[in-house]
Amino acid sequence: METRRIDPVNCSVARALSVVGERWSLLIVREALDGARRFSEFQARLGIARNLLATRLDTLVAAGVLRRVPYQEPGDRQRHAYELTEQGLALRPTLVALLEWGDNYLADQQGPSVIVRHRSPDDDTSSCDEPVRVVLECAGGHGHLAPEDIYRAPGPGARFIDAP
Amino acid sequence: METRRIDPVNCSVARALSVVGERWSLLIVREALDGARRFSEFQARLGIARNLLATRLDTLVAAGVLRRVPYQEPGDRQRHAYELTEQGLALRPTLVALLEWGDNYLADQQGPSVIVRHRSPDDDTSSCDEPVRVVLECAGGHGHLAPEDIYRAPGPGARFIDAP
């Protein structure tokens, strides 16, 4: 049975994965979200080989996820640190979704090692600190959509192919 | 400066990526969510080499993301199709988050090729069809949290290491 389908290669998921669809890339972003900035920090936290880390950082900079910023310690030569761009910060929901999935299906018996919590504003005396999760919501204001409540429709950039 | 940190290897993100942190794995899950069931369907939709597809499907079955179900066409030998388990279906928020990120930063000028929409229930005359997005919400009922509103705290399974 042949039907007309949206070209799966032309999908933003495939494009997103061509940038971050590699285990180390998202772990580097996770560490950057957690405050890592220097090559040596990423290296020590992740235990990744230096040449592999250098390649992944270059790729993430070229893709616009990280930017290089110069820094210099007194008496030392100038080096570069890495900061998340707006595009990099926007990966947080993806990482929270992956964390939640890992917690639900792959955590130790003791429970998850990390819990993402709602930060209370500094000027707010009412502490929140409740765990954070990702939910699906539509622009029509319907929240907490179940997986079966959503479907994929062609967008303005859709290309079509014949496929089984 | 050395501080006590949550062991990054013991994180559910790392565990999740050890299962799906490979470009093809999430694209296979995407196609399964979109209705692909048979080896030949995954193969034709993704254009992936047969031996690589077979390996990835085996890994996803072993990890509990897909299950094999037998099927038989009249006059043909019995074959296996692949269905998402509950654990596999639970990857949908991750894929919606990746899609949204790809749409925002990597889409063609024409716009995204796929839009995830809110399905209207069959017995409901009020059509919705509005685009779906992922939002961060806390258990205390605060919704639409910004990236800077959340932080990572140790969970019950946290192990600690000394790291820069």
Side-chain angles (χ1 to χ4, degrees), chain A residues 21-73:
Chain A
E22 196 280 328
R23 187 162 178 265
W24 287 116
S25 301
L26 277 176
L27 293 180
I28 289 168
V29 172
R30 179 195 67 179
E31 293 304 324
L33 283 167
D34 199 38
R37 289 170 43 88
R38 299 177 184 192
F39 189 94
S40 58
E41 287 174 314
F42 289 107
Q43 216 262 316
R45 291 181 178 204
L46 293 170
I48 178 178
R50 293 181 64 87
N51 58 346
L52 188 55
L53 175 59
T55 306
R56 292 286 172 268
L57 288 169
D58 284 350
T59 306
L60 291 170
V61 168
V65 171
L66 294 174
R67 73 166 72 88
R68 280 197 183 83
V69 289
Y71 76 93
Q72 193 160 19
E73 303 269 311

Side-chain angles (χ1 to χ4, degrees), chain B residues 19-39:
Chain B
V19 174
V20 294
E22 196 280 328
R23 186 161 178 265
W24 288 116
S25 301
L26 278 175
L27 293 180
I28 289 168
V29 172
R30 179 195 66 180
E31 292 305 325
L33 283 166
D34 199 38
R37 288 171 43 87
R38 300 177 184 191
F39 189 95

